[in-house]
Amino acid sequence: MTEQNTGHGPGGPADAPDADDNRRQVLYWRLLARLFDHEEQPALESASLAVVEDIGLPPALLDPGASVGSVVQRHPELAAEFDGLMTPEPEEDGGRDRAAEVRRAALASKVLLNVFASGSGTVTAEQLARWQSDAEWFERALGCRPGELRGGRGGAGRAAAGGGTGVGPTGTGVGGPLPDLSRLIPAIGPELGSIEAGLVKRMRLREVLADPALAARLTPSMSLIEQLLRDKDNLSGVALANAKALIRRYVDEVTEVLRTQVEKSTVGELDRSVPPKRVFRNLDIDRTIWKNLTNWDPEGERLYVDRLYYRHTSRKTTPQRLIVVVDQSGSMVDSMVNCTILASIFAGLPKVDVHLIAYDTQALDLTPWAHDPFETLLRTKLGGGTDGTVAMALAQPKIAEPRNTVVVWISDFYEWRQQELFDSMAAVHRSGAKFIPVGSVTSSGRGSVNPWFRERFKDLGAPVISGHIKKLVHELKTFLT
């Protein structure tokens, strides 16, 4: 009987665990070599190819020029394996499935290399689009929705990643099981955004925008929108039109996500002191019949109704004023885009009077365009220093009825005249207005806040909101409805 080549070596099946550990180690060493050394290692490449073929995966996984999407297009059965690939796997009753770990290591290496080995030199629109697609597969592998970690276009929540400590049963060595990278999401999100921003900067964006065919390949993202907003004054003609179209697409996508969050957020209780509106759609037919049963005519088989009952649909709608002040310095672009869109959504709510102010060393009252985030963003100017006192000079006169006013101040609070600005903010808080300082309202929750301001806001009883934009949505919806 001829001995089959199982990859277990002369020791046969009994040596299988060691063989699988060796295979996985080869794949991890190749991953590290390609991430940190641009020179190809022929021995690792040939060994990795043997491993991939031995476990029944396509050699295209080792091709640096092939996107994850193209591999999945040729091998559709792999799509389900990439989803949740880097979230913890439940351990089988019999212990670790080492063969499955080798397969996961091969697939994970492909995603990680395509995303984090971004190369150097000029980037084309096609290369950026391919990286964005690979980043979406990476987000899916972490249990997130595509686009979620890099700016929030993809949705509001992450799939549950389960338990785990981020290491396997045998430790964290190169040959160990695939780590639970989902626990590193707070750090991975900003890193993805940074890589994407670098790719956008390496792209000849003006040339791409001047060519409608190339511009059509671009996928709007926070990094791309930031670059477009910085460069918009230098664009004209076809390039400017394409830039505006990309900004509009991104604004519309994020608006849809944020509007859903606003609609799902908790709202106020019904105000029973407000009589229900007497229109047919509010008619409570069951209650009307029940209350008029004493008027039933058995002979004529008719119910005579002498009173109609209506459902309460009104909620507490005391007129409220929302004043949003946004630091438009370069470090706050993500928060500025999100909050500009959020302000426009609340501007569409009944009896909510929205005012919008942007500032750096000068302040700009954008209230006339608060309902249209696209037009608002086109009027902003990123960069420069920060002097919040000029914005406060515009905001304070707008506080006519403090008890019905909420002031949202979005900044990292690295200010030139910090004591003067804080004193005026404390005065707003003491006047009875609701003052909400916000350090970041991004999808990743990334943001640095001046610790001097953070401590004083905490002592004031108005702690800084910093994290996912859902937190701000909840605060505003609770106060305004």
Side-chain angles (χ1 to χ4, degrees):
M1 186 179 213
T2 305
E3 183 183 24
Q4 293 183 344
N5 182 10
T6 62
H8 297 315
D15 293 333
D18 289 338
D20 285 330
D21 285 343
N22 290 338
R23 290 189 181 99
R24 189 171 55 249
Q25 193 171 44
V26 165
L27 294 171
Y28 285 159
W29 277 118
R30 175 184 178 271
L31 169 63
L32 293 174
R34 279 196 167 269
L35 282 175
F36 298 107
D37 188 354
H38 297 300
E39 295 294 327
E40 184 177 292
Q41 303 294 322
L44 284 175
E45 293 298 321
S46 59
S48 297
L49 178 61
V51 170
V52 166
E53 291 179 338
D54 194 33
I55 61 178
L57 287 173
L61 285 174
L62 302 179
D63 180 3
S67 68
V68 177
S70 66
V71 173
V72 171
Q73 188 175 18
R74 292 179 223 157
H75 306 275
E77 70 279 1
L78 294 180
E81 292 191 60
F82 279 109
D83 281 331
L85 175 68
M86 299 179 189
T87 56
E89 285 284 314
E91 194 170 297
E92 301 292 336
D93 293 338
R96 290 167 51 198
D97 185 345
R98 286 176 168 82
E101 288 176 359
V102 176
R103 191 176 181 90
R104 291 180 71 205
L107 296 173
S109 294
K110 176 61 178 174
V111 180
L112 291 169
L113 277 176
N114 278 30
V115 171
F116 290 100
S118 55
S120 59
T122 303
V123 175
T124 65
E126 184 177 359
Q127 288 173 323
L128 177 62
R130 188 179 68 181
W131 183 91
Q132 289 173 328
S133 173
D134 287 333
E136 289 184 355
W137 281 104
F138 179 52
E139 288 166 321
R140 289 171 61 168
L142 291 172
C144 299
R145 297 177 184 178
E148 182 180 346
L149 296 183
R150 291 170 293 127
R153 291 183 300 105
R158 180 172 69 87
T165 60
V167 298
T170 60
T172 58
V174 172
L178 188 67
D180 173 16
L181 294 183
S182 64
R183 289 187 171 273
L184 299 178
I185 282 177
I188 291 175
E191 184 62 27
L192 285 180
S194 176
I195 294 174
E196 185 174 27
L199 292 171
V200 171
K201 289 179 181 178
R202 286 160 46 195
M203 185 171 60
R204 293 192 177 97
L205 189 56
R206 295 181 190 177
E207 295 178 16
V208 172
L209 291 172
D211 185 334
L214 292 176
R217 296 183 181 181
L218 296 176
T219 300
S221 65
M222 183 58 70
S223 297
L224 182 58
I225 296 308
E226 177 179 353
Q227 198 66 24
L228 292 175
L229 291 175
R230 290 183 185 279
D231 206 33
K232 65 181 185 298
D233 293 336
N234 299 316
L235 302 175
S236 60
V238 174
L240 181 59
N242 286 328
K244 287 184 176 180
L246 286 165
I247 295 172
R248 172 70 78 180
R249 276 177 58 194
Y250 185 78
V251 164
D252 289 346
E253 290 172 3
V254 176
T255 299
E256 190 60 33
V257 173
L258 294 184
R259 183 177 287 115
T260 300
Q261 292 183 13
V262 170
E263 290 171 352
K264 288 182 178 180
S265 183
T266 305
V267 296
E269 297 298 324
L270 290 176
D271 187 353
R272 299 289 179 181
S273 66
V274 178
K277 197 171 184 179
R278 295 176 177 272
V279 294
F280 179 75
R281 68 173 179 271
N282 291 343
L283 180 63
D284 190 337
I285 296 178
D286 291 341
R287 190 167 177 230
T288 297
I289 293 174
W290 177 257
K291 290 290 187 180
N292 288 279
L293 279 179
T294 55
N295 299 328
W296 170 253
D297 178 9
E299 294 181 3
E301 295 186 346
R302 291 186 178 186
L303 178 66
Y304 293 93
V305 177
D306 57 18
R307 183 177 176 183
L308 296 175
Y309 291 84
Y310 296 86
R311 298 184 184 90
H312 279 78
T313 56
S314 62
R315 296 186 181 272
K316 295 178 181 178
T317 54
T318 304
Q320 307 281 18
R321 174 164 291 188
L322 169 62
I323 302 172
V324 180
V325 183
V326 186
D327 175 352
Q328 64 175 355
S329 63
S331 61
M332 295 300 296
V333 61
D334 196 344
S335 292
M336 186 190 71
V337 171
N338 278 291
C339 287
T340 298
I341 294 171
L342 191 60
S344 73
I345 294 172
F346 279 101
L349 296 179
K351 297 188 178 181
V352 177
D353 181 24
V354 175
H355 294 253
L356 182 61
I357 297 169
Y359 77 97
D360 41 36
T361 55
Q362 295 180 329
L364 181 63
D365 191 344
L366 297 169
T367 301
W369 303 277
H371 65 286
D372 189 339
F374 172 71
E375 290 295 334
T376 300
L377 289 172
L378 290 183
R379 285 167 171 78
T380 58
K381 185 177 181 180
L382 300 182
T386 52
D387 183 3
T389 59
V390 296
M392 183 60 78
L394 280 181
Q396 277 182 319
K398 296 177 180 288
I399 307 174
E401 299 179 21
R403 294 291 176 185
N404 292 329
T405 302
V406 57
V407 178
V408 178
W409 197 292
I410 301 104
S411 176
D412 53 12
F413 298 100
Y414 285 94
E415 291 283 342
W416 177 37
R417 293 185 280 189
Q418 57 184 25
Q419 186 65 58
E420 182 179 347
L421 178 59
F422 176 77
D423 290 343
S424 61
M425 290 174 168
V428 169
H429 177 73
R430 287 193 295 268
S431 73
K434 184 173 180 61
F435 183 78
I436 305 177
V438 180
S440 70
V441 282
T442 65
S443 301
S444 64
R446 184 186 192 185
S448 172
V449 177
N450 185 341
W452 188 91
F453 269 93
R454 186 186 288 277
E455 287 302 315
R456 279 156 182 78
F457 284 139
K458 185 178 179 181
D459 294 339
L460 188 66
V464 174
I465 291 179
S466 188
H468 201 284
I469 196 169
K470 277 184 175 181
K471 295 181 181 179
L472 180 58
V473 170
H474 177 76
E475 286 285 328
L476 292 178
K477 194 73 182 290
T478 301
F479 184 83
L480 294 172
T481 59

